[in-house]
Amino acid sequence: MSIDFIEIILGLLIISIMSILAFRLRYLDRGGVIAGIVIGSIILIGFGWSALILMMVFFTFSTFSTRLRYSYKRQLGFGQEKGGKRGWRNTLANGGIAASSALASLFLGGVIFHVIFLGAIATSMADTLATEIGLLSRSKPRLITNLRKKVGAGTSGGVSSLGELMVVSGSLLIGILASFLEFFPMPILEVILIALSGGLIGSHIDSILGATIQSINRCLVCGAITESNNHHNKPTESFKGFRIIENNIVNFLSTLAGALAAVGISIII
């Protein structure tokens, strides 16, 4: 969907204002603001307003779910670092595939890049809600690679009924909104199915990677188990997985998987 110069200027102004407001409200750090402006601008120019609205909806839900009972999550050792503020790495991990598809669409065109975007955003929404709200589950999660094994809240690769509900809800929300906004010309049910499939597959790939190769760390000060590379402002010690495979790498790979799954489903249907 093409947009004119005035719409681009207006969109860039809105993106900048929202990013600065997010910084003032401590939702993003400076790096996150810059990355957000760049990614939002690429998506706006490549896909138009509908894609930008989808991205902003994801950011809003992501921020709300991250801040929900944040102190409790930090006690568990699994709250986002820096007071819940998201940096450029997190922003790129969740929005990099979406921005890349927008850039490719701008130069190459084709509905396939809309499908890639939809799968990536559905995965980011599903995984974020499952992670942040799933942490509040009253029942112990089970390890995705061994569902008979119960694990502690926040354990990488853990899945719970509440988390699974969030996966489905987040994916459906993106699919329904994409249909309502007429993001690309496909029947409503097909758009929803693509988003749902991408979100389901991508978020569960995230869990599998988290259970197998993601770095799990131990705080050298208090002994807490965490995904963070720093705790009590000191580097943590990796005792499982690969140190280089931290949460943002897993998020990026899972959004890529969700995007590819969406393409596969779109071909089938």
Side-chain angles (χ1 to χ4, degrees), residues 44-103:
L44 172 67
I45 296 172
F47 285 135
W49 285 99
S50 57
L52 181 62
I53 291 171
L54 289 171
M55 198 70 185
M56 290 191 295
V57 167
F58 159 67
F59 175 73
T60 301
F61 275 81
S62 172
T63 300
F64 172 78
S65 62
T66 299
R67 289 300 182 92
L68 185 64
R69 297 188 64 187
Y70 177 76
S71 297
Y72 171 70
K73 295 173 185 176
R74 288 299 288 174
Q75 289 176 8
L76 294 176
F78 293 96
Q80 285 283 335
E81 301 176 33
K82 298 180 289 185
K85 290 191 292 185
R86 296 179 181 271
W88 69 268
R89 290 181 178 85
N90 185 274
T91 305
L92 185 61
N94 285 287
I97 299 298
S100 298
S101 65
L103 198 60

Side-chain angles (χ1 to χ4, degrees), residues 134-135 137-144 146-155 157-161:
L135 275 170
S137 175
R138 293 183 178 181
S139 60
K140 276 194 170 185
R142 296 177 181 270
L143 193 64
I144 192 168
N146 181 8
L147 293 176
R148 292 178 295 180
K149 181 179 180 180
K150 292 184 178 181
V151 293
T155 300
V159 293
S160 65
S161 55

Side-chain angles (χ1 to χ4, degrees), residues 180-262:
F180 177 77
L181 295 168
E182 298 181 345
F183 178 51
F184 61 98
M186 288 185 72
I188 293 175
L189 290 180
E190 291 186 12
V191 173
I192 293 175
L193 180 59
I194 289 171
L196 180 60
S197 301
L200 281 169
I201 294 173
S203 61
H204 286 96
I205 290 294
D206 184 280
S207 296
I208 292 171
L209 294 176
T212 54
I213 64 173
Q214 181 177 343
S215 177
I216 305 299
N217 309 316
R218 181 183 291 109
C219 176
L220 297 177
V221 176
C222 69
I225 306 302
T226 176
E227 295 177 352
S228 302
N229 289 329
N230 292 280
H231 204 248
H232 289 101
N233 296 318
K234 293 183 180 296
T236 54
E237 175 187 47
S238 177
F239 70 91
K240 179 183 176 184
F242 299 93
R243 181 73 175 184
I244 193 173
I245 309 296
E246 47 89 35
N247 188 56
N248 290 322
I249 298 294
V250 170
N251 285 344
F252 181 83
L253 293 175
S254 66
T255 56
L256 176 60
L260 294 176

Side-chain angles (χ1 to χ4, degrees), residues 123-146:
T123 298
S124 293
M125 174 72 95
D127 180 60
T128 300
L129 293 184
T131 299
E132 298 295 345
I133 297 181
L135 275 170
L136 308 179
S137 175
R138 293 183 178 181
S139 60
K140 276 194 170 185
R142 296 177 181 270
L143 193 64
I144 192 168
T145 53
N146 181 8

